[in-house]
Amino acid sequence: MLTDDQIQYLDQRCQMEGIRYYDLRIEIADHLATEVEAIMENNARIDFPALVDTVFERFEKNFLNMLTNEQIKTLDLFCQKKGIHYYDLRQEMVDHLAEGIEGQMTLDPQTGFDTALQRVYSAFGISGFSNVIRQREEATRKRSRKREHQYFKAWFTFPKIALSLLLFLLLSAPVSVFNVQNAAAIYKTYCIFLFAFAIFAIIFVGIRFKRPAQKLLSLKHTGGFTVFVGLFQVPNLYFNLAVNGFELDINHTPWFNLAMAAFCTLAILFTLARYHAYKAIYADARRQYPLVF
């Protein structure tokens, strides 16, 4: 991953090349950063400025010689007007449109930019980008949930399963082992602690993970609040189900202690899984679009 100084160098280089528009500069710098990182993975000792020169020259030959800065900016604004408000998806669509326009203009040099754009856009049908946006959102949601489930299942594999069992035993021990007569006090303590922890964690995530300057589709289905929403269900289980729902005598209902301990354990483990999934997705987004952060 590039350092902040290296990212700043890329941004300054883009400005020196006359790329004035901020959104366009971010897009091009991100493209350059991706190529530079890929090369540096195989040769970490390569001279960074010289590498940037090489990558930038290749980028100019393959892309900028066909479309001007203003035309690329026009594509970006065009995508925004058509409902693509996520920077990462918009970048993908700008590249797609640019490639199609270049193809049209290569086949027929007399074709103007606006004409080529309308031809390429018409290929998306009467619904325009709507289907693409919906498909990308669904795919992103599935990837996010899949990653969360992977982290959650990891808590039930060796050696992490030992920590999961230890957590369950610690939560069930006060009532069952020490024969606490007033179990309600223990459960209320759990509820208060987990509720306070969830609030603290939400604030921590908001501070720890800087909000990107532009909306990213990859982060849509994860976030500071949703990461810890599972913890809020613990008080809901106790007060609504046990106290107000079944009206259980929890001091003489041994199975409820196990159920409460299991639910608290699963809520904590799932919360940790969502946090690590969000952390990984955030790191991926920061690596792919460093100038947005």
Short mmCIF file of all heavy atoms in Angstrom, two decimals, residues 150 152-164:
data_model
loop_
_atom_site.label_atom_id
_atom_site.label_comp_id
_atom_site.label_asym_id
_atom_site.label_seq_id
_atom_site.Cartn_x
_atom_site.Cartn_y
_atom_site.Cartn_z
N GLN A 150 -18.01 -15.58 7.08
CA GLN A 150 -16.70 -16.24 7.16
C GLN A 150 -16.01 -15.92 8.49
O GLN A 150 -15.46 -16.81 9.14
CB GLN A 150 -15.82 -15.80 5.99
CG GLN A 150 -16.25 -16.38 4.65
CD GLN A 150 -15.45 -15.81 3.49
OE1 GLN A 150 -14.82 -14.76 3.60
NE2 GLN A 150 -15.47 -16.50 2.36
N PHE A 152 -17.54 -14.96 11.19
CA PHE A 152 -18.35 -15.53 12.28
C PHE A 152 -18.06 -17.02 12.44
O PHE A 152 -17.87 -17.51 13.57
CB PHE A 152 -19.83 -15.30 11.98
CG PHE A 152 -20.74 -15.85 13.05
CD1 PHE A 152 -20.79 -15.26 14.31
CD2 PHE A 152 -21.55 -16.94 12.79
CE1 PHE A 152 -21.63 -15.76 15.29
CE2 PHE A 152 -22.39 -17.45 13.77
CZ PHE A 152 -22.43 -16.85 15.02
N LYS A 153 -18.02 -17.76 11.33
CA LYS A 153 -17.75 -19.19 11.40
C LYS A 153 -16.35 -19.48 11.93
O LYS A 153 -16.11 -20.54 12.52
CB LYS A 153 -17.93 -19.83 10.02
CG LYS A 153 -19.38 -19.90 9.56
CD LYS A 153 -19.53 -20.72 8.30
CE LYS A 153 -18.86 -20.05 7.12
NZ LYS A 153 -19.11 -20.80 5.85
N ALA A 154 -15.44 -18.53 11.74
CA ALA A 154 -14.07 -18.73 12.22
C ALA A 154 -14.02 -18.87 13.74
O ALA A 154 -13.11 -19.50 14.28
CB ALA A 154 -13.18 -17.57 11.78
N TRP A 155 -15.01 -18.29 14.45
CA TRP A 155 -15.05 -18.40 15.91
C TRP A 155 -15.41 -19.80 16.37
O TRP A 155 -15.30 -20.10 17.57
CB TRP A 155 -16.06 -17.40 16.48
CG TRP A 155 -15.57 -15.99 16.46
CD1 TRP A 155 -15.98 -14.99 15.62
CD2 TRP A 155 -14.57 -15.41 17.30
NE1 TRP A 155 -15.29 -13.83 15.89
CE2 TRP A 155 -14.42 -14.06 16.93
CE3 TRP A 155 -13.78 -15.90 18.35
CZ2 TRP A 155 -13.52 -13.20 17.54
CZ3 TRP A 155 -12.88 -15.05 18.97
CH2 TRP A 155 -12.76 -13.72 18.56
N PHE A 156 -15.81 -20.67 15.45
CA PHE A 156 -16.18 -22.04 15.82
C PHE A 156 -15.21 -23.05 15.21
O PHE A 156 -15.54 -24.22 15.06
CB PHE A 156 -17.62 -22.33 15.37
CG PHE A 156 -18.62 -21.41 16.00
CD1 PHE A 156 -19.03 -20.26 15.34
CD2 PHE A 156 -19.12 -21.67 17.27
CE1 PHE A 156 -19.94 -19.39 15.93
CE2 PHE A 156 -20.03 -20.81 17.86
CZ PHE A 156 -20.43 -19.66 17.20
N THR A 157 -14.05 -22.56 14.84
CA THR A 157 -12.98 -23.43 14.35
C THR A 157 -11.78 -23.29 15.27
O THR A 157 -11.62 -22.28 15.96
CB THR A 157 -12.58 -23.05 12.91
OG1 THR A 157 -12.13 -21.68 12.88
CG2 THR A 157 -13.75 -23.22 11.95
N PHE A 158 -10.95 -24.32 15.28
CA PHE A 158 -9.77 -24.30 16.14
C PHE A 158 -8.77 -23.26 15.63
O PHE A 158 -8.57 -23.15 14.42
CB PHE A 158 -9.12 -25.70 16.14
CG PHE A 158 -7.96 -25.82 17.07
CD1 PHE A 158 -8.16 -26.07 18.42
CD2 PHE A 158 -6.66 -25.67 16.60
CE1 PHE A 158 -7.08 -26.17 19.28
CE2 PHE A 158 -5.58 -25.77 17.46
CZ PHE A 158 -5.79 -26.03 18.80
N PRO A 159 -8.16 -22.45 16.50
CA PRO A 159 -8.23 -22.48 17.97
C PRO A 159 -9.24 -21.49 18.56
O PRO A 159 -9.40 -21.43 19.77
CB PRO A 159 -6.81 -22.08 18.36
CG PRO A 159 -6.41 -21.09 17.30
CD PRO A 159 -7.07 -21.56 16.02
N LYS A 160 -9.93 -20.71 17.71
CA LYS A 160 -10.81 -19.67 18.23
C LYS A 160 -12.01 -20.23 18.99
O LYS A 160 -12.60 -19.53 19.82
CB LYS A 160 -11.30 -18.77 17.09
CG LYS A 160 -10.25 -17.79 16.58
CD LYS A 160 -10.87 -16.82 15.59
CE LYS A 160 -9.87 -15.76 15.17
NZ LYS A 160 -10.47 -14.77 14.24
N ILE A 161 -12.37 -21.47 18.70
CA ILE A 161 -13.53 -22.04 19.39
C ILE A 161 -13.29 -22.11 20.89
O ILE A 161 -14.24 -22.06 21.69
CB ILE A 161 -13.85 -23.45 18.82
CG1 ILE A 161 -15.21 -23.90 19.35
CG2 ILE A 161 -12.75 -24.44 19.16
CD1 ILE A 161 -15.70 -25.18 18.69
N ALA A 162 -12.03 -22.21 21.30
CA ALA A 162 -11.72 -22.22 22.73
C ALA A 162 -12.12 -20.89 23.37
O ALA A 162 -12.65 -20.86 24.49
CB ALA A 162 -10.23 -22.49 22.94
N LEU A 163 -11.88 -19.79 22.68
CA LEU A 163 -12.28 -18.48 23.19
C LEU A 163 -13.80 -18.34 23.23
O LEU A 163 -14.35 -17.74 24.16
CB LEU A 163 -11.67 -17.37 22.32
CG LEU A 163 -10.15 -17.26 22.33
CD1 LEU A 163 -9.69 -16.18 21.35
CD2 LEU A 163 -9.65 -16.93 23.74
N SER A 164 -14.47 -18.91 22.23
CA SER A 164 -15.93 -18.86 22.20
C SER A 164 -16.52 -19.61 23.39
O SER A 164 -17.45 -19.13 24.05
CB SER A 164 -16.45 -19.46 20.88
OG SER A 164 -15.92 -18.76 19.77
#
